[in-house]
Amino acid sequence: MLAVEGLRKTFNAGTPNARVALDGVSLTLEEGDFAVVIGGNGAGKSTFLNAIAGEVGVDAGSIRIDGADVTRLPTHRRAGAIARVFQDPLAGTAGAMTIEENLALALRRGSRARLAFALGEQRRERFRVALAGFGLGLEGRLGQKVELLSGGQRQSLALAMAILVAPRILLLDEHTAALDPKTAAAVMAATVNAVDSARLTTLMVTHNMQHAIDYGNRLLMMADGRIIFEARGAEKRRLTVEALVARFHLTDDKMLLA
Amino acid sequence: METLSVFWNLVPITLLQGVIYGFVALGIMVPFRMLSFPDLTAEGSFPLGGAVAAAAIAGGLDPIPATALAVSAGMLAGSTTALIHLTLKLNTLLCGIIVLTMLFSINIRVMGTPNTPLFAYDNMFHVLLGGAARVLEAQIALVAGLVLATAGLLFAYLKTEAGLALRAVGANQMMARAQGISIWRQTVWGIALAGGLCALGGAIVAQNQSFADVNMGFGVLLNGLAAVIVGETLVGRATILRQVLAPVVGAVVYYQAISFALALGLAPSDLKLLTGLFVLLMLAVPSIRGRRETLRIRE
Ligand SMILES: Nc1ncnc2c1ncn2[C@@H]1O[C@H](COP(=O)(O)OP(=O)(O)OP(=O)(O)O)[C@@H](O)[C@H]1O
Ligand SMILES: [Mg+2]
């Protein structure tokens, strides 16, 4: 499914500001794996996801999706296989376009845009169904511009867009971190629901230890650009927040011991 | 009132000017509003359109293919600006200035001289209007029909999947990439389209006045921008339909306003100053308003 081998990335290499963000990261995700990534600030989590998506070019290593080497492909040529939800609710949607136009783009993610009208009644019906599950009433506002939505609504739309057409790989980077607790819980519930029901192969970054314990079949911890700990299956199920904290002396403020 | 009658007599000829410049205003709206790519190439692609059409017609080409050639040249100019920006990551305004300055030399090369008279040749009005070629009302109807058809096509395009991809690049590049849209492809295509529209405007102006001049582009960008702003004030830009109609309506209204100012006795040479001040004012209003709002929030 996803096979990452020996990824290395140094930002500002050769300058006094050089930062090693990825220091030999390897990871294989099997079909249906739901891996949660934790680690302190600057551990390299976002860089790792950006490298998989193509936003960050790597210095060494390889990325394969379903056996195809995509290491040198630009973001837009990987988009057919990868869907993302970003931390910033503004990042994943086009504010100047309507809800239905955003969804129409997502419907054709990775395929060549055609010279055919993007919206029809059939598509709108599909969008209504996709949005109704979030219980935010967005299905009744298809023609409104996305910039009118609240952060939580916008992030729900971004998630709806990511799963509208099941991606081969779903990348989530602290996608509930910018939301208030209630909205965050709703978006997380919708995420887990979608990932479970479609068995999406997922990589999710979070600072919430409870989420890391509760969700996914694999847990990865990153530090200094490396994966320093991994638990899966039964071992992951046995993990507790206390055990994680004790084992890694986690003192990071951002680690929410919810 | 003498002023009024002077203005009134000029309304038809100004209307023709307004609809012709509707193409230019459309060509300025696309980069600014659809692609968030502030582009100055219009100032060079407009005279390029005039020069290419004039040179081709004087060289014996039929007016319609000559006009098509002018549009292609404008598209090439636009693509050049876009490609310079994409490869060198230079500010879009600087890319536009470089291209429009270089086009000045190219336009003289194209024509062989700084200006080309076309009085001896048939132009697109002769081809499309036959015996009515010199009838002002017929010319207005023809160009108005053409510019509205162009706006209609642009509107339809912006509603297709391809058009959505173009707009996504202007709205949010990160999101566009994540949806599989090539920033390069859409930017080059969009700026090329804009260049083509501006060149079409230049080609029509040259044929309408029966000569092309290398200086005919001077100030066209600011005029076009003013037209877009006037149009957006009158028509709004909340929907794609409004956004596409605004430049056309704006161009028509703007040139009538200019004509009125001239009828009042304003020196033509002061127009650029006034247009500049007008655009400045219109651009300042939202930012002043915005500042007041933030002040209010802080209170
Ligand atoms: N575009 C960039 N330019 C320079 N340095 C960068 C860039 N992006 C990330 N870095 C550096 O790379 C390192 C890893 O950053 P990254 O954003 O991947 O961390 P993270 O694990 O996502 O942290 P956080 O939990 O704070 O989001 C950091 O030292 C960061 O400063
Ligand atoms: Mg991060």
Side-chain angles (χ1 to χ4, degrees), chain A residues 55 76 79 90-93 101-102 106 108 110 112 114 116 118 123 145, chain B residues 156-157 159-162 164 167 172 174-175 177-182 185 238:
Chain A
E55 286 291 299
H76 71 271
L90 304 185
T93 48
E101 285 171 344
N102 273 272
R108 301 282 299 158
R112 223 191 140 119
R114 294 171 305 193
R123 283 191 174 182
K145 286 200 179 164
Chain B
Y157 179 75
K159 291 278 189 180
T160 64
E161 287 181 358
L164 254 55
R167 288 160 54 202
N172 183 346
M174 172 105 123
M175 176 266 198
R177 278 197 299 273
Q179 300 304 331
I181 296 163
S182 162
R185 184 199 301 258

PDB file of all heavy atoms in Angstrom, chain A residues 55 76 79 90-93 101-102 106 108 110 112 114 116 118 123 145, chain B residues 156-157 159-162 164 167 172 174-175 177-182 185 238:
ATOM      1  N   GLU A  55       4.437  17.704  -0.932  1.00  0.00           N
ATOM      2  CA  GLU A  55       4.635  19.135  -0.680  1.00  0.00           C
ATOM      3  C   GLU A  55       6.090  19.445  -0.330  1.00  0.00           C
ATOM      4  O   GLU A  55       6.558  20.545  -0.553  1.00  0.00           O
ATOM      5  CB  GLU A  55       3.725  19.606   0.461  1.00  0.00           C
ATOM      6  CG  GLU A  55       2.268  19.744   0.087  1.00  0.00           C
ATOM      7  CD  GLU A  55       2.007  20.895  -0.872  1.00  0.00           C
ATOM      8  OE1 GLU A  55       2.286  22.047  -0.518  1.00  0.00           O
ATOM      9  OE2 GLU A  55       1.515  20.634  -1.995  1.00  0.00           O
ATOM     10  N   HIS A  76       0.420  17.389  -7.163  1.00  0.00           N
ATOM     11  CA  HIS A  76      -0.825  17.205  -7.902  1.00  0.00           C
ATOM     12  C   HIS A  76      -0.872  15.884  -8.664  1.00  0.00           C
ATOM     13  O   HIS A  76      -1.937  15.401  -9.013  1.00  0.00           O
ATOM     14  CB  HIS A  76      -1.091  18.398  -8.843  1.00  0.00           C
ATOM     15  CG  HIS A  76      -0.179  18.485 -10.015  1.00  0.00           C
ATOM     16  ND1 HIS A  76       1.011  19.151  -9.977  1.00  0.00           N
ATOM     17  CD2 HIS A  76      -0.291  17.994 -11.267  1.00  0.00           C
ATOM     18  CE1 HIS A  76       1.608  19.074 -11.154  1.00  0.00           C
ATOM     19  NE2 HIS A  76       0.831  18.379 -11.959  1.00  0.00           N
ATOM     20  N   ALA A  79      -2.173  13.191  -6.150  1.00  0.00           N
ATOM     21  CA  ALA A  79      -3.449  13.484  -5.496  1.00  0.00           C
ATOM     22  C   ALA A  79      -4.514  12.424  -5.765  1.00  0.00           C
ATOM     23  O   ALA A  79      -5.449  12.281  -4.991  1.00  0.00           O
ATOM     24  CB  ALA A  79      -3.949  14.862  -5.923  1.00  0.00           C
ATOM     25  N   LEU A  90      -8.607  26.675   7.015  1.00  0.00           N
ATOM     26  CA  LEU A  90      -8.616  27.469   5.783  1.00  0.00           C
ATOM     27  C   LEU A  90      -7.838  26.786   4.665  1.00  0.00           C
ATOM     28  O   LEU A  90      -8.024  27.090   3.495  1.00  0.00           O
ATOM     29  CB  LEU A  90      -7.999  28.852   6.028  1.00  0.00           C
ATOM     30  CG  LEU A  90      -8.606  29.703   7.129  1.00  0.00           C
ATOM     31  CD1 LEU A  90      -7.963  31.089   7.145  1.00  0.00           C
ATOM     32  CD2 LEU A  90     -10.114  29.833   6.948  1.00  0.00           C
ATOM     33  N   ALA A  91      -6.946  25.866   5.036  1.00  0.00           N
ATOM     34  CA  ALA A  91      -6.001  25.327   4.058  1.00  0.00           C
ATOM     35  C   ALA A  91      -6.625  24.321   3.091  1.00  0.00           C
ATOM     36  O   ALA A  91      -6.226  24.243   1.935  1.00  0.00           O
ATOM     37  CB  ALA A  91      -4.822  24.678   4.774  1.00  0.00           C
ATOM     38  N   GLY A  92      -7.614  23.570   3.559  1.00  0.00           N
ATOM     39  CA  GLY A  92      -8.102  22.450   2.756  1.00  0.00           C
ATOM     40  C   GLY A  92      -9.267  22.762   1.849  1.00  0.00           C
ATOM     41  O   GLY A  92      -9.712  21.906   1.089  1.00  0.00           O
ATOM     42  N   THR A  93      -9.780  23.999   1.926  1.00  0.00           N
ATOM     43  CA  THR A  93     -10.945  24.350   1.123  1.00  0.00           C
ATOM     44  C   THR A  93     -10.692  25.694   0.436  1.00  0.00           C
ATOM     45  O   THR A  93      -9.849  26.463   0.865  1.00  0.00           O
ATOM     46  CB  THR A  93     -12.195  24.504   2.026  1.00  0.00           C
ATOM     47  OG1 THR A  93     -11.833  25.334   3.131  1.00  0.00           O
ATOM     48  CG2 THR A  93     -12.666  23.161   2.538  1.00  0.00           C
ATOM     49  N   GLU A 101     -19.020  23.627  -5.190  1.00  0.00           N
ATOM     50  CA  GLU A 101     -17.874  23.690  -6.098  1.00  0.00           C
ATOM     51  C   GLU A 101     -16.647  23.024  -5.480  1.00  0.00           C
ATOM     52  O   GLU A 101     -15.887  22.324  -6.159  1.00  0.00           O
ATOM     53  CB  GLU A 101     -17.570  25.149  -6.469  1.00  0.00           C
ATOM     54  CG  GLU A 101     -18.573  25.720  -7.455  1.00  0.00           C
ATOM     55  CD  GLU A 101     -18.446  27.226  -7.676  1.00  0.00           C
ATOM     56  OE1 GLU A 101     -17.787  27.896  -6.851  1.00  0.00           O
ATOM     57  OE2 GLU A 101     -19.013  27.714  -8.656  1.00  0.00           O
ATOM     58  N   ASN A 102     -16.458  23.238  -4.172  1.00  0.00           N
ATOM     59  CA  ASN A 102     -15.365  22.553  -3.477  1.00  0.00           C
ATOM     60  C   ASN A 102     -15.536  21.039  -3.565  1.00  0.00           C
ATOM     61  O   ASN A 102     -14.586  20.312  -3.836  1.00  0.00           O
ATOM     62  CB  ASN A 102     -15.320  22.994  -2.008  1.00  0.00           C
ATOM     63  CG  ASN A 102     -14.489  24.255  -1.801  1.00  0.00           C
ATOM     64  OD1 ASN A 102     -13.288  24.175  -1.593  1.00  0.00           O
ATOM     65  ND2 ASN A 102     -15.130  25.409  -1.898  1.00  0.00           N
ATOM     66  N   ALA A 106     -13.317  17.953  -5.296  1.00  0.00           N
ATOM     67  CA  ALA A 106     -12.901  16.750  -4.577  1.00  0.00           C
ATOM     68  C   ALA A 106     -13.376  15.490  -5.290  1.00  0.00           C
ATOM     69  O   ALA A 106     -12.702  14.463  -5.291  1.00  0.00           O
ATOM     70  CB  ALA A 106     -13.442  16.783  -3.148  1.00  0.00           C
ATOM     71  N   ARG A 108     -13.443  14.983  -8.312  1.00  0.00           N
ATOM     72  CA  ARG A 108     -12.567  14.695  -9.449  1.00  0.00           C
ATOM     73  C   ARG A 108     -11.100  14.730  -9.030  1.00  0.00           C
ATOM     74  O   ARG A 108     -10.220  14.918  -9.875  1.00  0.00           O
ATOM     75  CB  ARG A 108     -12.818  15.730 -10.551  1.00  0.00           C
ATOM     76  CG  ARG A 108     -14.257  15.754 -11.043  1.00  0.00           C
ATOM     77  CD  ARG A 108     -14.565  14.624 -11.971  1.00  0.00           C
ATOM     78  NE  ARG A 108     -13.717  14.680 -13.158  1.00  0.00           N
ATOM     79  CZ  ARG A 108     -13.451  13.637 -13.938  1.00  0.00           C
ATOM     80  NH1 ARG A 108     -13.960  12.465 -13.655  1.00  0.00           N
ATOM     81  NH2 ARG A 108     -12.685  13.770 -14.991  1.00  0.00           N
ATOM     82  N   GLY A 110      -7.520  14.290  -8.562  1.00  0.00           N
ATOM     83  CA  GLY A 110      -6.537  13.462  -9.245  1.00  0.00           C
ATOM     84  C   GLY A 110      -6.889  13.074 -10.669  1.00  0.00           C
ATOM     85  O   GLY A 110      -6.042  12.596 -11.404  1.00  0.00           O
ATOM     86  N   ARG A 112      -8.277  14.204 -14.566  1.00  0.00           N
ATOM     87  CA  ARG A 112      -8.183  15.384 -15.405  1.00  0.00           C
ATOM     88  C   ARG A 112      -9.508  16.123 -15.453  1.00  0.00           C
ATOM     89  O   ARG A 112     -10.555  15.522 -15.702  1.00  0.00           O
ATOM     90  CB  ARG A 112      -7.791  14.948 -16.812  1.00  0.00           C
ATOM     91  CG  ARG A 112      -6.742  15.860 -17.413  1.00  0.00           C
ATOM     92  CD  ARG A 112      -6.588  15.562 -18.881  1.00  0.00           C
ATOM     93  NE  ARG A 112      -6.433  16.846 -19.519  1.00  0.00           N
ATOM     94  CZ  ARG A 112      -5.348  17.184 -20.200  1.00  0.00           C
ATOM     95  NH1 ARG A 112      -4.390  16.336 -20.362  1.00  0.00           N
ATOM     96  NH2 ARG A 112      -5.268  18.369 -20.748  1.00  0.00           N
ATOM     97  N   ARG A 114     -12.502  17.979 -16.850  1.00  0.00           N
ATOM     98  CA  ARG A 114     -13.087  17.929 -18.191  1.00  0.00           C
ATOM     99  C   ARG A 114     -13.810  19.226 -18.521  1.00  0.00           C
ATOM    100  O   ARG A 114     -14.137  20.021 -17.652  1.00  0.00           O
ATOM    101  CB  ARG A 114     -14.079  16.764 -18.267  1.00  0.00           C
ATOM    102  CG  ARG A 114     -13.413  15.416 -18.133  1.00  0.00           C
ATOM    103  CD  ARG A 114     -14.449  14.332 -17.983  1.00  0.00           C
ATOM    104  NE  ARG A 114     -15.358  14.628 -16.864  1.00  0.00           N
ATOM    105  CZ  ARG A 114     -16.195  13.749 -16.352  1.00  0.00           C
ATOM    106  NH1 ARG A 114     -16.254  12.532 -16.838  1.00  0.00           N
ATOM    107  NH2 ARG A 114     -16.991  14.074 -15.361  1.00  0.00           N
ATOM    108  N   ALA A 116     -16.760  19.817 -19.021  1.00  0.00           N
ATOM    109  CA  ALA A 116     -18.177  19.517 -18.825  1.00  0.00           C
ATOM    110  C   ALA A 116     -18.613  20.260 -17.578  1.00  0.00           C
ATOM    111  O   ALA A 116     -17.801  20.459 -16.672  1.00  0.00           O
ATOM    112  CB  ALA A 116     -18.371  18.018 -18.638  1.00  0.00           C
ATOM    113  N   ALA A 118     -19.556  21.297 -14.091  1.00  0.00           N
ATOM    114  CA  ALA A 118     -19.081  20.613 -12.891  1.00  0.00           C
ATOM    115  C   ALA A 118     -20.229  20.185 -11.986  1.00  0.00           C
ATOM    116  O   ALA A 118     -20.064  19.282 -11.177  1.00  0.00           O
ATOM    117  CB  ALA A 118     -18.124  21.525 -12.132  1.00  0.00           C
ATOM    118  N   ARG A 123     -25.090  15.143  -8.960  1.00  0.00           N
ATOM    119  CA  ARG A 123     -23.930  15.398  -8.105  1.00  0.00           C
ATOM    120  C   ARG A 123     -24.359  16.098  -6.828  1.00  0.00           C
ATOM    121  O   ARG A 123     -23.888  15.774  -5.740  1.00  0.00           O
ATOM    122  CB  ARG A 123     -22.896  16.256  -8.847  1.00  0.00           C
ATOM    123  CG  ARG A 123     -22.111  15.448  -9.848  1.00  0.00           C
ATOM    124  CD  ARG A 123     -20.931  16.225 -10.389  1.00  0.00           C
ATOM    125  NE  ARG A 123     -20.143  15.342 -11.242  1.00  0.00           N
ATOM    126  CZ  ARG A 123     -19.021  15.704 -11.847  1.00  0.00           C
ATOM    127  NH1 ARG A 123     -18.569  16.932 -11.715  1.00  0.00           N
ATOM    128  NH2 ARG A 123     -18.356  14.845 -12.586  1.00  0.00           N
ATOM    129  N   LYS A 145     -20.859  30.399  -0.338  1.00  0.00           N
ATOM    130  CA  LYS A 145     -19.396  30.417  -0.363  1.00  0.00           C
ATOM    131  C   LYS A 145     -18.824  29.862   0.930  1.00  0.00           C
ATOM    132  O   LYS A 145     -19.361  30.103   2.013  1.00  0.00           O
ATOM    133  CB  LYS A 145     -18.889  31.850  -0.581  1.00  0.00           C
ATOM    134  CG  LYS A 145     -19.090  32.291  -2.009  1.00  0.00           C
ATOM    135  CD  LYS A 145     -18.187  33.455  -2.357  1.00  0.00           C
ATOM    136  CE  LYS A 145     -18.423  33.824  -3.817  1.00  0.00           C
ATOM    137  NZ  LYS A 145     -17.894  35.143  -4.133  1.00  0.00           N
TER     138      LYS A 145
ATOM    139  N   ALA B 156     -19.611  30.256 -18.947  1.00  0.00           N
ATOM    140  CA  ALA B 156     -19.856  28.809 -19.054  1.00  0.00           C
ATOM    141  C   ALA B 156     -18.582  28.037 -18.705  1.00  0.00           C
ATOM    142  O   ALA B 156     -18.616  27.050 -17.961  1.00  0.00           O
ATOM    143  CB  ALA B 156     -20.327  28.455 -20.457  1.00  0.00           C
ATOM    144  N   TYR B 157     -17.452  28.519 -19.233  1.00  0.00           N
ATOM    145  CA  TYR B 157     -16.191  27.819 -18.969  1.00  0.00           C
ATOM    146  C   TYR B 157     -15.887  27.758 -17.476  1.00  0.00           C
ATOM    147  O   TYR B 157     -15.475  26.727 -16.952  1.00  0.00           O
ATOM    148  CB  TYR B 157     -15.036  28.509 -19.701  1.00  0.00           C
ATOM    149  CG  TYR B 157     -13.712  27.836 -19.440  1.00  0.00           C
ATOM    150  CD1 TYR B 157     -13.412  26.617 -20.052  1.00  0.00           C
ATOM    151  CD2 TYR B 157     -12.790  28.378 -18.558  1.00  0.00           C
ATOM    152  CE1 TYR B 157     -12.221  25.969 -19.787  1.00  0.00           C
ATOM    153  CE2 TYR B 157     -11.593  27.731 -18.287  1.00  0.00           C
ATOM    154  CZ  TYR B 157     -11.309  26.534 -18.904  1.00  0.00           C
ATOM    155  OH  TYR B 157     -10.131  25.892 -18.637  1.00  0.00           O
ATOM    156  N   LYS B 159     -17.750  27.529 -15.159  1.00  0.00           N
ATOM    157  CA  LYS B 159     -18.644  26.602 -14.459  1.00  0.00           C
ATOM    158  C   LYS B 159     -18.335  25.143 -14.784  1.00  0.00           C
ATOM    159  O   LYS B 159     -18.970  24.228 -14.255  1.00  0.00           O
ATOM    160  CB  LYS B 159     -20.102  26.895 -14.847  1.00  0.00           C
ATOM    161  CG  LYS B 159     -20.642  28.220 -14.311  1.00  0.00           C
ATOM    162  CD  LYS B 159     -21.092  28.055 -12.889  1.00  0.00           C
ATOM    163  CE  LYS B 159     -21.827  29.275 -12.383  1.00  0.00           C
ATOM    164  NZ  LYS B 159     -22.252  29.084 -10.985  1.00  0.00           N
ATOM    165  N   THR B 160     -17.390  24.926 -15.699  1.00  0.00           N
ATOM    166  CA  THR B 160     -17.031  23.539 -16.016  1.00  0.00           C
ATOM    167  C   THR B 160     -15.996  23.044 -15.008  1.00  0.00           C
ATOM    168  O   THR B 160     -15.460  23.813 -14.218  1.00  0.00           O
ATOM    169  CB  THR B 160     -16.415  23.421 -17.424  1.00  0.00           C
ATOM    170  OG1 THR B 160     -15.181  24.153 -17.447  1.00  0.00           O
ATOM    171  CG2 THR B 160     -17.356  23.976 -18.488  1.00  0.00           C
ATOM    172  N   GLU B 161     -15.710  21.754 -15.076  1.00  0.00           N
ATOM    173  CA  GLU B 161     -14.672  21.197 -14.203  1.00  0.00           C
ATOM    174  C   GLU B 161     -13.349  21.916 -14.435  1.00  0.00           C
ATOM    175  O   GLU B 161     -12.621  22.235 -13.495  1.00  0.00           O
ATOM    176  CB  GLU B 161     -14.499  19.707 -14.483  1.00  0.00           C
ATOM    177  CG  GLU B 161     -15.646  18.867 -13.957  1.00  0.00           C
ATOM    178  CD  GLU B 161     -15.444  17.390 -14.224  1.00  0.00           C
ATOM    179  OE1 GLU B 161     -14.423  17.031 -14.847  1.00  0.00           O
ATOM    180  OE2 GLU B 161     -16.307  16.601 -13.816  1.00  0.00           O
ATOM    181  N   ALA B 162     -13.046  22.180 -15.709  1.00  0.00           N
ATOM    182  CA  ALA B 162     -11.792  22.862 -16.032  1.00  0.00           C
ATOM    183  C   ALA B 162     -11.792  24.275 -15.451  1.00  0.00           C
ATOM    184  O   ALA B 162     -10.782  24.741 -14.924  1.00  0.00           O
ATOM    185  CB  ALA B 162     -11.596  22.896 -17.540  1.00  0.00           C
ATOM    186  N   LEU B 164     -13.464  25.301 -12.837  1.00  0.00           N
ATOM    187  CA  LEU B 164     -13.334  25.188 -11.377  1.00  0.00           C
ATOM    188  C   LEU B 164     -11.868  25.017 -10.996  1.00  0.00           C
ATOM    189  O   LEU B 164     -11.392  25.588 -10.006  1.00  0.00           O
ATOM    190  CB  LEU B 164     -14.144  23.985 -10.869  1.00  0.00           C
ATOM    191  CG  LEU B 164     -15.447  24.290 -10.127  1.00  0.00           C
ATOM    192  CD1 LEU B 164     -16.351  25.162 -10.954  1.00  0.00           C
ATOM    193  CD2 LEU B 164     -16.148  23.021  -9.707  1.00  0.00           C
ATOM    194  N   ARG B 167     -10.182  28.371 -11.152  1.00  0.00           N
ATOM    195  CA  ARG B 167     -10.545  29.231 -10.027  1.00  0.00           C
ATOM    196  C   ARG B 167      -9.942  28.735  -8.725  1.00  0.00           C
ATOM    197  O   ARG B 167      -9.605  29.534  -7.843  1.00  0.00           O
ATOM    198  CB  ARG B 167     -12.067  29.310  -9.918  1.00  0.00           C
ATOM    199  CG  ARG B 167     -12.687  30.140 -11.055  1.00  0.00           C
ATOM    200  CD  ARG B 167     -14.157  29.829 -11.228  1.00  0.00           C
ATOM    201  NE  ARG B 167     -14.892  29.989  -9.981  1.00  0.00           N
ATOM    202  CZ  ARG B 167     -16.044  29.405  -9.720  1.00  0.00           C
ATOM    203  NH1 ARG B 167     -16.607  28.621 -10.626  1.00  0.00           N
ATOM    204  NH2 ARG B 167     -16.655  29.611  -8.589  1.00  0.00           N
ATOM    205  N   ASN B 172      -6.982  29.047  -3.638  1.00  0.00           N
ATOM    206  CA  ASN B 172      -6.173  28.362  -2.622  1.00  0.00           C
ATOM    207  C   ASN B 172      -5.249  27.358  -3.317  1.00  0.00           C
ATOM    208  O   ASN B 172      -5.674  26.262  -3.676  1.00  0.00           O
ATOM    209  CB  ASN B 172      -7.096  27.648  -1.622  1.00  0.00           C
ATOM    210  CG  ASN B 172      -6.320  26.967  -0.501  1.00  0.00           C
ATOM    211  OD1 ASN B 172      -5.105  26.795  -0.582  1.00  0.00           O
ATOM    212  ND2 ASN B 172      -7.031  26.575   0.535  1.00  0.00           N
ATOM    213  N   MET B 174      -2.657  25.625  -2.251  1.00  0.00           N
ATOM    214  CA  MET B 174      -2.385  24.397  -1.504  1.00  0.00           C
ATOM    215  C   MET B 174      -3.507  23.395  -1.714  1.00  0.00           C
ATOM    216  O   MET B 174      -3.281  22.209  -1.981  1.00  0.00           O
ATOM    217  CB  MET B 174      -2.264  24.756  -0.020  1.00  0.00           C
ATOM    218  CG  MET B 174      -2.170  23.571   0.884  1.00  0.00           C
ATOM    219  SD  MET B 174      -0.504  23.376   1.470  1.00  0.00           S
ATOM    220  CE  MET B 174      -0.764  23.414   3.209  1.00  0.00           C
ATOM    221  N   MET B 175      -4.752  23.884  -1.607  1.00  0.00           N
ATOM    222  CA  MET B 175      -5.910  23.030  -1.807  1.00  0.00           C
ATOM    223  C   MET B 175      -5.962  22.537  -3.248  1.00  0.00           C
ATOM    224  O   MET B 175      -6.238  21.370  -3.507  1.00  0.00           O
ATOM    225  CB  MET B 175      -7.172  23.834  -1.449  1.00  0.00           C
ATOM    226  CG  MET B 175      -8.455  23.118  -1.694  1.00  0.00           C
ATOM    227  SD  MET B 175      -9.131  23.508  -3.331  1.00  0.00           S
ATOM    228  CE  MET B 175     -10.809  22.974  -3.078  1.00  0.00           C
ATOM    229  N   ARG B 177      -3.498  22.038  -5.375  1.00  0.00           N
ATOM    230  CA  ARG B 177      -2.521  20.956  -5.550  1.00  0.00           C
ATOM    231  C   ARG B 177      -3.032  19.656  -4.951  1.00  0.00           C
ATOM    232  O   ARG B 177      -2.949  18.596  -5.563  1.00  0.00           O
ATOM    233  CB  ARG B 177      -1.205  21.326  -4.858  1.00  0.00           C
ATOM    234  CG  ARG B 177      -0.295  22.214  -5.656  1.00  0.00           C
ATOM    235  CD  ARG B 177       1.113  22.168  -5.095  1.00  0.00           C
ATOM    236  NE  ARG B 177       1.178  22.634  -3.717  1.00  0.00           N
ATOM    237  CZ  ARG B 177       1.330  23.912  -3.374  1.00  0.00           C
ATOM    238  NH1 ARG B 177       1.432  24.831  -4.298  1.00  0.00           N
ATOM    239  NH2 ARG B 177       1.383  24.261  -2.108  1.00  0.00           N
ATOM    240  N   ALA B 178      -3.592  19.758  -3.737  1.00  0.00           N
ATOM    241  CA  ALA B 178      -4.056  18.557  -3.049  1.00  0.00           C
ATOM    242  C   ALA B 178      -5.206  17.890  -3.805  1.00  0.00           C
ATOM    243  O   ALA B 178      -5.473  16.705  -3.632  1.00  0.00           O
ATOM    244  CB  ALA B 178      -4.481  18.895  -1.617  1.00  0.00           C
ATOM    245  N   GLN B 179      -5.908  18.655  -4.637  1.00  0.00           N
ATOM    246  CA  GLN B 179      -6.993  18.072  -5.439  1.00  0.00           C
ATOM    247  C   GLN B 179      -6.489  17.615  -6.804  1.00  0.00           C
ATOM    248  O   GLN B 179      -7.276  17.251  -7.677  1.00  0.00           O
ATOM    249  CB  GLN B 179      -8.143  19.074  -5.632  1.00  0.00           C
ATOM    250  CG  GLN B 179      -8.781  19.553  -4.347  1.00  0.00           C
ATOM    251  CD  GLN B 179      -9.290  18.427  -3.474  1.00  0.00           C
ATOM    252  OE1 GLN B 179      -9.664  17.359  -3.960  1.00  0.00           O
ATOM    253  NE2 GLN B 179      -9.311  18.641  -2.175  1.00  0.00           N
ATOM    254  N   GLY B 180      -5.183  17.685  -7.004  1.00  0.00           N
ATOM    255  CA  GLY B 180      -4.621  17.162  -8.247  1.00  0.00           C
ATOM    256  C   GLY B 180      -4.550  18.176  -9.375  1.00  0.00           C
ATOM    257  O   GLY B 180      -4.396  17.809 -10.542  1.00  0.00           O
ATOM    258  N   ILE B 181      -4.676  19.452  -9.030  1.00  0.00           N
ATOM    259  CA  ILE B 181      -4.666  20.482 -10.067  1.00  0.00           C
ATOM    260  C   ILE B 181      -3.242  21.012 -10.243  1.00  0.00           C
ATOM    261  O   ILE B 181      -2.568  21.329  -9.265  1.00  0.00           O
ATOM    262  CB  ILE B 181      -5.616  21.631  -9.668  1.00  0.00           C
ATOM    263  CG1 ILE B 181      -7.059  21.098  -9.607  1.00  0.00           C
ATOM    264  CG2 ILE B 181      -5.506  22.798 -10.642  1.00  0.00           C
ATOM    265  CD1 ILE B 181      -8.010  21.994  -8.846  1.00  0.00           C
ATOM    266  N   SER B 182      -2.805  21.129 -11.490  1.00  0.00           N
ATOM    267  CA  SER B 182      -1.471  21.642 -11.760  1.00  0.00           C
ATOM    268  C   SER B 182      -1.492  23.171 -11.744  1.00  0.00           C
ATOM    269  O   SER B 182      -2.163  23.796 -12.564  1.00  0.00           O
ATOM    270  CB  SER B 182      -0.984  21.140 -13.122  1.00  0.00           C
ATOM    271  OG  SER B 182       0.091  21.934 -13.560  1.00  0.00           O
ATOM    272  N   ARG B 185      -0.103  24.513 -15.126  1.00  0.00           N
ATOM    273  CA  ARG B 185      -0.992  24.427 -16.282  1.00  0.00           C
ATOM    274  C   ARG B 185      -2.085  25.496 -16.221  1.00  0.00           C
ATOM    275  O   ARG B 185      -2.325  26.221 -17.181  1.00  0.00           O
ATOM    276  CB  ARG B 185      -1.634  23.037 -16.316  1.00  0.00           C
ATOM    277  CG  ARG B 185      -2.503  22.792 -17.526  1.00  0.00           C
ATOM    278  CD  ARG B 185      -3.453  21.633 -17.271  1.00  0.00           C
ATOM    279  NE  ARG B 185      -2.732  20.414 -16.967  1.00  0.00           N
ATOM    280  CZ  ARG B 185      -2.542  19.426 -17.846  1.00  0.00           C
ATOM    281  NH1 ARG B 185      -3.023  19.531 -19.051  1.00  0.00           N
ATOM    282  NH2 ARG B 185      -1.890  18.325 -17.510  1.00  0.00           N
ATOM    283  N   ALA B 238     -20.482  38.792  -6.460  1.00  0.00           N
ATOM    284  CA  ALA B 238     -20.799  37.698  -5.552  1.00  0.00           C
ATOM    285  C   ALA B 238     -20.927  36.372  -6.293  1.00  0.00           C
ATOM    286  O   ALA B 238     -20.654  35.318  -5.732  1.00  0.00           O
ATOM    287  CB  ALA B 238     -22.086  38.003  -4.796  1.00  0.00           C
TER     288      ALA B 238
END
